[in-house]
Amino acid sequence: MTRIGQAVMLLHAGDREEARKRFGIIWSEIGESGDALHRCTLAHYMAGTQDDPGDGLAWDLRALTAAEALTGTASADQDVEREGAGHEDIEHRDMTAVRALVPSLHLHLAGSYLKLQCFEAARIHLDRAWDAVAVLGDDGYGGGVRAAIGRMEQRMRGSGAGE
């Protein structure tokens, strides 16, 4: 997570190319079967480094798939019993962190679909983002995500993709 965080800092500083390069290296190490929290976080941010909207959508979908695997909304074969002291605490913490990302994941998917002019899919994910905001606190992060969803709502209406 430290290395992912360092690449996120590069992304936020405007160095998308270097962030994309570092995310790619980390992804090659953890891959599709790595830790769900790491995959979700990395794919979520990797989507924002893409120049092609289709590539961004693919990363957004990877992030959502990883989130669903961690939160238990994926297929039952993902639910493997693990051993080890404290595992339940770590899993609970990871699930809580991912649940807080879910509104943002759906928001990003709505944006990706909107860029691709897939208006129905964009609307579905924007509605899912609104449905998921109840897990967010009344803090800066929660307020920021709610505001971003509201801006996307306005953007979709302005593009003719509204209700």
Side-chain angles (χ1 to χ4, degrees):
M1 286 303 281
T2 300
R3 291 173 52 216
I4 293 171
Q6 291 167 343
V8 169
M9 289 171 49
L10 288 168
L11 177 61
H12 289 303
D15 194 346
R16 290 175 66 230
E17 187 173 327
E18 183 62 24
R20 181 174 44 237
K21 177 182 157 192
R22 290 189 188 192
F23 286 141
I25 291 167
I26 299 167
W27 185 262
S28 70
E29 293 170 9
I30 64 173
E32 294 283 342
S33 60
D35 179 83
L37 177 62
H38 296 155
R39 285 184 294 123
C40 178
T41 305
L42 187 139
H44 180 59
Y45 286 106
M46 180 66 127
T49 69
Q50 302 304 303
D51 296 324
D52 179 86
D55 292 340
L57 175 62
W59 283 105
D60 285 331
L61 290 169
R62 283 182 187 106
L64 184 61
T65 299
E68 290 171 341
L70 186 60
T71 60
T73 56
S75 62
D77 65 339
Q78 301 269 342
D79 188 21
V80 177
E81 186 175 327
R82 298 178 186 120
E83 297 179 17
H87 173 72
E88 292 80 15
D89 291 340
I90 292 169
E91 187 172 285
H92 175 74
R93 184 191 69 225
D94 289 356
M95 285 188 353
T96 300
V98 168
R99 282 191 181 116
L101 272 178
V102 168
S104 183
L105 296 175
H106 284 293
L107 172 63
H108 282 241
L109 278 160
S112 290
Y113 280 120
L114 186 60
K115 287 177 189 173
L116 294 167
Q117 298 186 346
C118 298
F119 301 123
E120 187 175 330
R123 170 49 55 192
I124 288 168
H125 284 284
L126 187 62
D127 290 345
R128 288 179 183 168
W130 280 123
D131 291 344
V133 296
V135 302
L136 300 177
D138 290 328
D139 55 12
Y141 175 75
V145 171
R146 286 183 190 88
I149 295 170
R151 287 190 302 273
M152 178 61 73
E153 184 80 50
Q154 294 302 317
R155 188 171 150 210
M156 286 181 65
R157 287 188 180 146
S159 71
E163 317 237 359

